Amino acid sequence: MAEIRLEHVSKRWGSFVGVNDFDLTIADREFLVLLGPSGCGKTTTMRMIAGLEDATEGNIVIGDRVVNDLDPKDRDVAMVFQSYGLYPNMNVYENIRFPLKVRKVDPASHDERVMRAAEMVELTEFLHRKPAELSGGQRQRVALARAIVREPTVFLMDEPLSNLDAKLRVSTRAQIKNLQHELKVTTIYVTHDQIEAMTLADRVVVMNKGVVQQVGTPTEIYDNPANTFVAGFIGSPAMNLMEGEVTQGTFRGRNVEIAGIEAPDGPVTLGFRAEDATLAEGGAGQITAPIYTLELLGDATMISVRAGGALVAVKAHKEFRAEIGDTVSIAIPPGICHVFDTQSGARLDISSGARVA
């Protein structure tokens, strides 16, 4: 049983608050991703779970034990870092085996456990090599195998893919997801990459400035962001956000007017996703403006225009061709729109205007 409970956990250094009142239960075998920009508190949260940082307030419970006063070695967690942390003088076999020697595991079981871990990450043919002879992706797989061989209660992964190139990130991401499924170990994964979060997580915790902004499945967070921070952080591209004012059901901003918005009169921030809007024929859309930029993505063409005081993106079909400066019209049905309070950033219920907690 490896349920983890963070009970109103905070971390402060003097007057600086790194993490504020983090309160969450992570289910046994769950893959939880802590997501947010640099400095948001996600790595600090992980380090408190690992025992590398002391919590200023609150309890950290792993299984049925409060672990606040336990040393890292006694918490039964295995960490995989952004820097691989391999011993350059040891070959791959010895690097993977090292945690077993340190923990004084029965030497008779070492070979079987090392080979099993190496096989899981497809390293069996590299066991005799030193880290300097490996690629970045192979070194990261050694670090994964070293964590696996421990057979820990919890995996903690701190931006393990950041040093890999784009192609390796995709393949290693798939490997991590498959490993977690096979091993059935509770995993907490830190990243600033929202694509990693959306593809790996059972649930995502979005953080900003030490505060949890939203917790939910990737689908919940993508479809119903709790506030403008989450809306502007999740998605590639992020949600289009435009400031304006609603009057009698019509949103008006700079170069944009959308009827049928069921929100209370007053200033709001309106959002919609690029893939939910379409190009309209003959200037029939709610935004008509010259093209600011074009990006060919392979499966689609991304078009950006300036409207509502912001850059607004829409996805067109991959065969669409135009030039920068050509005028396009974007159709934005009111049903695809999200409405947020301009001052607080909190999401409004589009049907009633009530804030969503």
PDB file of all heavy atoms in Angstrom, residues 2-21:
ATOM      1  N   ALA A   2       0.769   2.064  -1.038  1.00  0.00           N
ATOM      2  CA  ALA A   2       1.637   3.234  -1.131  1.00  0.00           C
ATOM      3  C   ALA A   2       0.825   4.488  -1.402  1.00  0.00           C
ATOM      4  O   ALA A   2       1.212   5.310  -2.228  1.00  0.00           O
ATOM      5  CB  ALA A   2       2.682   3.028  -2.205  1.00  0.00           C
ATOM      6  N   GLU A   3      -0.297   4.620  -0.715  1.00  0.00           N
ATOM      7  CA  GLU A   3      -1.006   5.896  -0.777  1.00  0.00           C
ATOM      8  C   GLU A   3      -0.145   6.957  -0.103  1.00  0.00           C
ATOM      9  O   GLU A   3       0.509   6.698   0.907  1.00  0.00           O
ATOM     10  CB  GLU A   3      -2.351   5.769  -0.061  1.00  0.00           C
ATOM     11  CG  GLU A   3      -3.157   7.050  -0.019  1.00  0.00           C
ATOM     12  CD  GLU A   3      -4.434   6.895   0.792  1.00  0.00           C
ATOM     13  OE1 GLU A   3      -5.448   6.461   0.227  1.00  0.00           O
ATOM     14  OE2 GLU A   3      -4.392   7.202   2.008  1.00  0.00           O
ATOM     15  N   ILE A   4      -0.130   8.153  -0.678  1.00  0.00           N
ATOM     16  CA  ILE A   4       0.628   9.262  -0.101  1.00  0.00           C
ATOM     17  C   ILE A   4      -0.342  10.378   0.234  1.00  0.00           C
ATOM     18  O   ILE A   4      -1.180  10.751  -0.591  1.00  0.00           O
ATOM     19  CB  ILE A   4       1.686   9.778  -1.095  1.00  0.00           C
ATOM     20  CG1 ILE A   4       2.656   8.655  -1.464  1.00  0.00           C
ATOM     21  CG2 ILE A   4       2.446  10.975  -0.522  1.00  0.00           C
ATOM     22  CD1 ILE A   4       3.581   9.013  -2.609  1.00  0.00           C
ATOM     23  N   ARG A   5      -0.225  10.893   1.454  1.00  0.00           N
ATOM     24  CA  ARG A   5      -1.075  12.021   1.850  1.00  0.00           C
ATOM     25  C   ARG A   5      -0.191  13.214   2.207  1.00  0.00           C
ATOM     26  O   ARG A   5       0.716  13.099   3.045  1.00  0.00           O
ATOM     27  CB  ARG A   5      -1.967  11.664   3.043  1.00  0.00           C
ATOM     28  CG  ARG A   5      -2.935  10.547   2.762  1.00  0.00           C
ATOM     29  CD  ARG A   5      -4.098  10.513   3.762  1.00  0.00           C
ATOM     30  NE  ARG A   5      -3.686  10.574   5.150  1.00  0.00           N
ATOM     31  CZ  ARG A   5      -3.282   9.521   5.867  1.00  0.00           C
ATOM     32  NH1 ARG A   5      -3.210   8.325   5.290  1.00  0.00           N
ATOM     33  NH2 ARG A   5      -2.942   9.662   7.131  1.00  0.00           N
ATOM     34  N   LEU A   6      -0.453  14.313   1.551  1.00  0.00           N
ATOM     35  CA  LEU A   6       0.183  15.580   1.909  1.00  0.00           C
ATOM     36  C   LEU A   6      -0.879  16.394   2.630  1.00  0.00           C
ATOM     37  O   LEU A   6      -1.872  16.814   2.031  1.00  0.00           O
ATOM     38  CB  LEU A   6       0.678  16.306   0.662  1.00  0.00           C
ATOM     39  CG  LEU A   6       1.697  15.535  -0.189  1.00  0.00           C
ATOM     40  CD1 LEU A   6       2.039  16.300  -1.452  1.00  0.00           C
ATOM     41  CD2 LEU A   6       2.948  15.247   0.600  1.00  0.00           C
ATOM     42  N   GLU A   7      -0.704  16.568   3.926  1.00  0.00           N
ATOM     43  CA  GLU A   7      -1.733  17.187   4.767  1.00  0.00           C
ATOM     44  C   GLU A   7      -1.342  18.620   5.102  1.00  0.00           C
ATOM     45  O   GLU A   7      -0.537  18.866   5.999  1.00  0.00           O
ATOM     46  CB  GLU A   7      -1.926  16.349   6.040  1.00  0.00           C
ATOM     47  CG  GLU A   7      -2.376  14.918   5.731  1.00  0.00           C
ATOM     48  CD  GLU A   7      -2.444  14.033   6.977  1.00  0.00           C
ATOM     49  OE1 GLU A   7      -1.807  14.391   8.014  1.00  0.00           O
ATOM     50  OE2 GLU A   7      -3.109  12.967   6.921  1.00  0.00           O
ATOM     51  N   HIS A   8      -1.873  19.561   4.314  1.00  0.00           N
ATOM     52  CA  HIS A   8      -1.641  20.999   4.527  1.00  0.00           C
ATOM     53  C   HIS A   8      -0.144  21.300   4.682  1.00  0.00           C
ATOM     54  O   HIS A   8       0.288  21.947   5.638  1.00  0.00           O
ATOM     55  CB  HIS A   8      -2.432  21.488   5.748  1.00  0.00           C
ATOM     56  CG  HIS A   8      -3.916  21.277   5.610  1.00  0.00           C
ATOM     57  ND1 HIS A   8      -4.700  22.048   4.786  1.00  0.00           N
ATOM     58  CD2 HIS A   8      -4.737  20.353   6.163  1.00  0.00           C
ATOM     59  CE1 HIS A   8      -5.948  21.623   4.841  1.00  0.00           C
ATOM     60  NE2 HIS A   8      -6.010  20.597   5.661  1.00  0.00           N
ATOM     61  N   VAL A   9       0.625  20.807   3.712  1.00  0.00           N
ATOM     62  CA  VAL A   9       2.081  20.945   3.757  1.00  0.00           C
ATOM     63  C   VAL A   9       2.498  22.308   3.192  1.00  0.00           C
ATOM     64  O   VAL A   9       2.041  22.727   2.127  1.00  0.00           O
ATOM     65  CB  VAL A   9       2.748  19.810   2.951  1.00  0.00           C
ATOM     66  CG1 VAL A   9       4.248  20.056   2.810  1.00  0.00           C
ATOM     67  CG2 VAL A   9       2.487  18.468   3.624  1.00  0.00           C
ATOM     68  N   SER A  10       3.363  23.005   3.922  1.00  0.00           N
ATOM     69  CA  SER A  10       3.915  24.279   3.470  1.00  0.00           C
ATOM     70  C   SER A  10       5.422  24.263   3.656  1.00  0.00           C
ATOM     71  O   SER A  10       5.954  23.547   4.509  1.00  0.00           O
ATOM     72  CB  SER A  10       3.326  25.456   4.261  1.00  0.00           C
ATOM     73  OG  SER A  10       1.939  25.587   4.035  1.00  0.00           O
ATOM     74  N   LYS A  11       6.109  25.068   2.836  1.00  0.00           N
ATOM     75  CA  LYS A  11       7.548  25.244   2.974  1.00  0.00           C
ATOM     76  C   LYS A  11       7.879  26.720   2.840  1.00  0.00           C
ATOM     77  O   LYS A  11       7.516  27.368   1.850  1.00  0.00           O
ATOM     78  CB  LYS A  11       8.296  24.452   1.896  1.00  0.00           C
ATOM     79  CG  LYS A  11       9.809  24.643   1.918  1.00  0.00           C
ATOM     80  CD  LYS A  11      10.428  24.121   3.214  1.00  0.00           C
ATOM     81  CE  LYS A  11      11.943  24.286   3.229  1.00  0.00           C
ATOM     82  NZ  LYS A  11      12.546  23.778   4.477  1.00  0.00           N
ATOM     83  N   ARG A  12       8.545  27.253   3.865  1.00  0.00           N
ATOM     84  CA  ARG A  12       8.938  28.664   3.849  1.00  0.00           C
ATOM     85  C   ARG A  12      10.416  28.793   4.185  1.00  0.00           C
ATOM     86  O   ARG A  12      10.959  28.025   4.977  1.00  0.00           O
ATOM     87  CB  ARG A  12       8.120  29.459   4.872  1.00  0.00           C
ATOM     88  CG  ARG A  12       6.659  29.637   4.507  1.00  0.00           C
ATOM     89  CD  ARG A  12       5.981  30.647   5.442  1.00  0.00           C
ATOM     90  NE  ARG A  12       6.011  30.215   6.827  1.00  0.00           N
ATOM     91  CZ  ARG A  12       5.083  29.427   7.386  1.00  0.00           C
ATOM     92  NH1 ARG A  12       4.065  29.001   6.668  1.00  0.00           N
ATOM     93  NH2 ARG A  12       5.181  29.078   8.643  1.00  0.00           N
ATOM     94  N   TRP A  13      11.026  29.773   3.558  1.00  0.00           N
ATOM     95  CA  TRP A  13      12.380  30.198   3.934  1.00  0.00           C
ATOM     96  C   TRP A  13      12.247  31.659   4.339  1.00  0.00           C
ATOM     97  O   TRP A  13      12.136  32.545   3.482  1.00  0.00           O
ATOM     98  CB  TRP A  13      13.341  30.068   2.767  1.00  0.00           C
ATOM     99  CG  TRP A  13      13.626  28.656   2.350  1.00  0.00           C
ATOM    100  CD1 TRP A  13      14.574  27.815   2.846  1.00  0.00           C
ATOM    101  CD2 TRP A  13      12.951  27.926   1.318  1.00  0.00           C
ATOM    102  NE1 TRP A  13      14.542  26.612   2.199  1.00  0.00           N
ATOM    103  CE2 TRP A  13      13.559  26.653   1.256  1.00  0.00           C
ATOM    104  CE3 TRP A  13      11.897  28.216   0.453  1.00  0.00           C
ATOM    105  CZ2 TRP A  13      13.144  25.676   0.355  1.00  0.00           C
ATOM    106  CZ3 TRP A  13      11.487  27.246  -0.441  1.00  0.00           C
ATOM    107  CH2 TRP A  13      12.099  26.000  -0.491  1.00  0.00           C
ATOM    108  N   GLY A  14      12.207  31.936   5.638  1.00  0.00           N
ATOM    109  CA  GLY A  14      11.966  33.300   6.090  1.00  0.00           C
ATOM    110  C   GLY A  14      10.596  33.765   5.632  1.00  0.00           C
ATOM    111  O   GLY A  14       9.585  33.097   5.869  1.00  0.00           O
ATOM    112  N   SER A  15      10.555  34.888   4.931  1.00  0.00           N
ATOM    113  CA  SER A  15       9.273  35.412   4.459  1.00  0.00           C
ATOM    114  C   SER A  15       8.879  34.840   3.092  1.00  0.00           C
ATOM    115  O   SER A  15       7.756  35.055   2.618  1.00  0.00           O
ATOM    116  CB  SER A  15       9.332  36.948   4.354  1.00  0.00           C
ATOM    117  OG  SER A  15      10.341  37.339   3.427  1.00  0.00           O
ATOM    118  N   PHE A  16       9.818  34.088   2.458  1.00  0.00           N
ATOM    119  CA  PHE A  16       9.515  33.531   1.131  1.00  0.00           C
ATOM    120  C   PHE A  16       8.756  32.217   1.273  1.00  0.00           C
ATOM    121  O   PHE A  16       9.193  31.309   1.995  1.00  0.00           O
ATOM    122  CB  PHE A  16      10.790  33.302   0.332  1.00  0.00           C
ATOM    123  CG  PHE A  16      10.543  32.678  -1.021  1.00  0.00           C
ATOM    124  CD1 PHE A  16      10.047  33.442  -2.065  1.00  0.00           C
ATOM    125  CD2 PHE A  16      10.778  31.317  -1.227  1.00  0.00           C
ATOM    126  CE1 PHE A  16       9.803  32.867  -3.300  1.00  0.00           C
ATOM    127  CE2 PHE A  16      10.535  30.743  -2.456  1.00  0.00           C
ATOM    128  CZ  PHE A  16      10.048  31.526  -3.498  1.00  0.00           C
ATOM    129  N   VAL A  17       7.621  32.113   0.594  1.00  0.00           N
ATOM    130  CA  VAL A  17       6.797  30.899   0.636  1.00  0.00           C
ATOM    131  C   VAL A  17       7.053  30.092  -0.632  1.00  0.00           C
ATOM    132  O   VAL A  17       6.712  30.519  -1.741  1.00  0.00           O
ATOM    133  CB  VAL A  17       5.295  31.252   0.744  1.00  0.00           C
ATOM    134  CG1 VAL A  17       4.458  29.982   0.778  1.00  0.00           C
ATOM    135  CG2 VAL A  17       5.040  32.090   1.992  1.00  0.00           C
ATOM    136  N   GLY A  18       7.674  28.917  -0.468  1.00  0.00           N
ATOM    137  CA  GLY A  18       7.941  28.051  -1.620  1.00  0.00           C
ATOM    138  C   GLY A  18       6.744  27.203  -1.984  1.00  0.00           C
ATOM    139  O   GLY A  18       6.434  27.021  -3.164  1.00  0.00           O
ATOM    140  N   VAL A  19       6.073  26.658  -0.972  1.00  0.00           N
ATOM    141  CA  VAL A  19       4.854  25.860  -1.161  1.00  0.00           C
ATOM    142  C   VAL A  19       3.881  26.272  -0.073  1.00  0.00           C
ATOM    143  O   VAL A  19       4.258  26.350   1.105  1.00  0.00           O
ATOM    144  CB  VAL A  19       5.142  24.342  -1.069  1.00  0.00           C
ATOM    145  CG1 VAL A  19       3.857  23.531  -1.174  1.00  0.00           C
ATOM    146  CG2 VAL A  19       6.129  23.918  -2.154  1.00  0.00           C
ATOM    147  N   ASN A  20       2.641  26.518  -0.458  1.00  0.00           N
ATOM    148  CA  ASN A  20       1.658  27.013   0.504  1.00  0.00           C
ATOM    149  C   ASN A  20       0.453  26.079   0.604  1.00  0.00           C
ATOM    150  O   ASN A  20      -0.296  25.915  -0.355  1.00  0.00           O
ATOM    151  CB  ASN A  20       1.180  28.415   0.096  1.00  0.00           C
ATOM    152  CG  ASN A  20       0.277  29.035   1.153  1.00  0.00           C
ATOM    153  OD1 ASN A  20       0.555  28.945   2.345  1.00  0.00           O
ATOM    154  ND2 ASN A  20      -0.810  29.634   0.723  1.00  0.00           N
ATOM    155  N   ASP A  21       0.294  25.417   1.757  1.00  0.00           N
ATOM    156  CA  ASP A  21      -0.912  24.653   2.103  1.00  0.00           C
ATOM    157  C   ASP A  21      -1.266  23.630   1.020  1.00  0.00           C
ATOM    158  O   ASP A  21      -2.381  23.593   0.506  1.00  0.00           O
ATOM    159  CB  ASP A  21      -2.086  25.609   2.335  1.00  0.00           C
ATOM    160  CG  ASP A  21      -3.253  24.923   3.040  1.00  0.00           C
ATOM    161  OD1 ASP A  21      -3.009  23.964   3.809  1.00  0.00           O
ATOM    162  OD2 ASP A  21      -4.411  25.323   2.820  1.00  0.00           O
TER     163      ASP A  21
END
